[in-house]
Amino acid sequence: MPPGPRVSRLDAVVVGSGPNGLAAAITLAAAGLSVTVIEGAEVAGGGCRTDSSTLPGFRHDVCSAVHPLVAASPFFRRPVFDGLRRSLCQPAVPFAHPLDGGRAGAAHRSVDETADSLGPDGAAYRRLMGPLVDRAPVIVDQVLGPLRSVPAHPFALARFGLPGVPSARRLASRFECEPARALLAGVSAHSTARLTAPLTGAFGLLLGMAAHAVGWPVVQGGSSGIVAALSAELERLGATVVTGQPVRSLSELPESTAVVLDTSPGGLAALAGPDLPPGYGRALARFRHGPGVCKVDWALSGAVPWSAAVCRRAGTLHLGGTFAEVAHSESEVHAGRHPERPYCIVVQPGVADPTRAPDGHQTLWGYCHVPPGSTVDMTTAIEAQIERFAPGFSELVLARSTRTAAEQEAHNPNLVGGDVGGGAASLGQTLFRPTVSWNPYRTPVRGLYLGSASTPPGGGVHGMCGVFAARTVLHDHFGGPAPFGRR
Ligand SMILES: Cc1cc2nc3c(=O)[nH]c(=O)nc-3n(C[C@H](O)[C@H](O)[C@H](O)COP(=O)(O)OP(=O)(O)OC[C@H]3O[C@@H](n4cnc5c(N)ncnc54)[C@H](O)[C@@H]3O)c2cc1C
């Protein structure tokens, strides 16, 4: 295996260099530990990579593109990431949801501007979102926590939890008109769950609140800038990152006191093999993944001609039409079918970051949900949805590159079946992932920890899963304080 730093026994090895793996390594190295990160892919970064898969001069985010969670995460608030935070480019409109006939709902940076644009639903929007945005810092710290500690601000959390725990469908009943209802459907469907499922409202509220509180930024030059910042910090701390070394068994790893896995639960089971107690192995096998995604990147000869003007200023677009249409699309996916008119998430980074394409050109990023492991290329269906709300789009396409759900997993083993969230976002699995346990980062094997998006607080680029896994290592082996709440 890899050479690693010149020390006889490492304090810690991290397998996997996604944002959580790198955040775990930084937390450990910042505590003075000797750390090596071992990554299977040729390039570090997991879900934070940028490439030119269409044409030279066009920079596409391979996975994550929009980063409210970087802007909000306590991990990225460290002064060493000031430069990264300055490189976050804020679209004037965080997200918009076009409807037929040139109408759209849009989330602006200000709650008032958003409410004013929603006509008869403005007052209901202001009542729902205003108090959350006022309390955003405490709500974010709680939601991006291990979801275990007693809330320091229970009333702020109740403001979020009471409307959020029911489904998005229930939450949408507060609104009379389609722009507000569709806006909520589009943002809630990031959960990948049916819009009738509990907690889908919480996804919508959290991401909607983030649009007002911290924006939905893209990273100047692409999401790989996040990994560049993390890697620079690791280097400064003296840790090593080795790439191109897929790990197949724990026995391949250099000697260390602790190992943190930035892998799926299945990856943990495969690496630890017979070392895992059978009961824990069975619990890991019960872990459920969410639907997959089929993703397309486009090189365009110009900006997308959205019929609704507000969409031309939006970083992210949720396509799919009315609340009922989006809900139907998501339930089709959960029934194992490919929707004819899929709900799509589309990002146009060029509205905020002109560096992604040659002058006068644009990149576009988009995906739709599909059944797990799907090999179906959804490019035609996704492009039909864009064309529906932006007639003339197809004439701008210079080149495209598509990755099916099955290809997502081939590219990164953590994307099981193409699941981008590290696991299904059910109520149970949001609180208890990968198994039901007070400290889900600690495995029954001494010295072995899990710190990927398959642990709380779950998917997205925030690094907090890795941070809590690392704090558990520091507590268990190096005299650190309790990682959170009580043990
Ligand atoms: C298409 C797509 C779009 C997304 N969009 C967004 C977005 O806009 N905003 C957002 O916040 N999030 C987004 N996400 C989710 C986000 O990318 C993930 O939640 C995040 O990257 C999870 O981080 P992680 O460190 O847990 O795992 P990953 O980022 O998946 O990293 C895991 C790493 O571990 C490596 N690895 C796994 N097993 C082994 C092994 N056995 N040996 C060696 N290396 C191994 C993998 O190669 C990979 O590099 C998106 C994801 C995808 C796929």
Side-chain angles (χ1 to χ4, degrees), residues 360-376:
H361 295 69
Q362 292 287 336
T363 61
L364 196 69
W365 171 115
Y367 70 67
C368 72
H369 296 144
V370 290
S374 162
T375 56
V376 174

Side-chain angles (χ1 to χ4, degrees), residues 16 18-20 39-40 46-47 49 63-66 247 262 412 414 420 453 460-461:
N20 284 313
E39 166 57 50
R49 304 187 209 180
C63 301
S64 66
V66 181
V247 179
D262 183 13
N412 174 350
N414 284 29
V420 302
V461 177

Side-chain angles (χ1 to χ4, degrees), residues 204-478:
L205 287 183
L206 178 67
L207 291 173
M209 178 188 78
H212 300 303
V214 295
W216 278 27
V218 296
V219 181
Q220 184 169 27
S223 298
S224 58
I226 298 170
V227 170
L230 293 169
S231 301
E233 175 60 359
L234 269 182
E235 193 180 334
R236 190 184 71 79
L237 293 168
T240 314
V241 181
V242 182
T243 57
Q245 300 275 359
V247 179
R248 293 190 178 83
S249 159
L250 294 180
S251 62
E252 295 174 9
L253 297 176
E255 284 263 301
S256 67
T257 302
V259 173
V260 178
L261 301 180
D262 183 13
T263 67
S264 67
L268 157 61
L271 289 180
D275 291 347
L276 289 181
Y280 186 75
R282 282 194 297 276
L284 289 181
R286 284 195 295 272
F287 187 79
R288 286 192 306 108
H289 280 278
V293 307
C294 176
K295 173 169 180 274
V296 188
D297 287 295
W298 294 269
L300 302 178
S301 60
V304 181
W306 302 105
S307 303
V310 70
C311 295
R312 298 183 204 149
R313 298 189 291 132
T316 301
L317 288 310
H318 299 136
L319 310 185
T322 62
F323 187 103
E325 284 180 274
V326 172
H328 177 69
S329 169
E330 293 305 274
S331 67
E332 284 288 281
V333 172
H334 282 270
R337 293 187 287 268
H338 294 80
E340 258 174 60
R341 302 227 283 182
Y343 158 75
C344 308
I345 303 175
V346 170
V347 177
Q348 39 188 18
V351 298
D353 174 16
T355 69
R356 302 295 185 97
D359 270 358
H361 295 69
Q362 292 287 336
T363 61
L364 196 69
W365 171 115
Y367 70 67
C368 72
H369 296 144
V370 290
S374 162
T375 56
V376 174
D377 179 340
M378 295 291 283
T379 306
T380 306
I382 295 173
E383 290 192 353
Q385 287 288 52
I386 302 175
E387 189 74 28
R388 171 179 169 194
F389 301 108
F393 160 75
S394 52
E395 287 150 38
L396 303 176
V397 177
L398 300 174
R400 60 174 73 72
S401 99
T402 300
R403 192 172 269 164
T404 65
E407 288 164 345
Q408 302 282 354
E409 183 173 352
H411 151 86
N412 174 350
N414 284 29
L415 305 177
V416 177
D419 170 15
V420 302
S426 62
L427 182 56
Q429 278 200 179
T430 297
L431 293 173
F432 300 109
R433 50 169 54 201
T435 62
V436 177
S437 128
W438 176 254
N439 185 322
Y441 312 96
R442 191 185 283 133
T443 78
V445 178
R446 185 169 165 73
L448 182 64
Y449 299 82
L450 184 68
S452 70
S454 299
T455 59
V461 177
H462 45 68
M464 294 308 293
C465 311
V467 169
F468 289 116
R471 285 189 192 161
T472 305
V473 170
L474 293 172
H475 170 266
D476 288 0
H477 301 276
F478 299 97

Side-chain angles (χ1 to χ4, degrees), residues 40-62:
E42 294 301 327
V43 185
C48 284
R49 304 187 209 180
T50 305
D51 70 12
S52 293
S53 57
T54 57
L55 295 171
F58 290 82
R59 290 180 62 73
H60 303 285
D61 286 329
V62 178

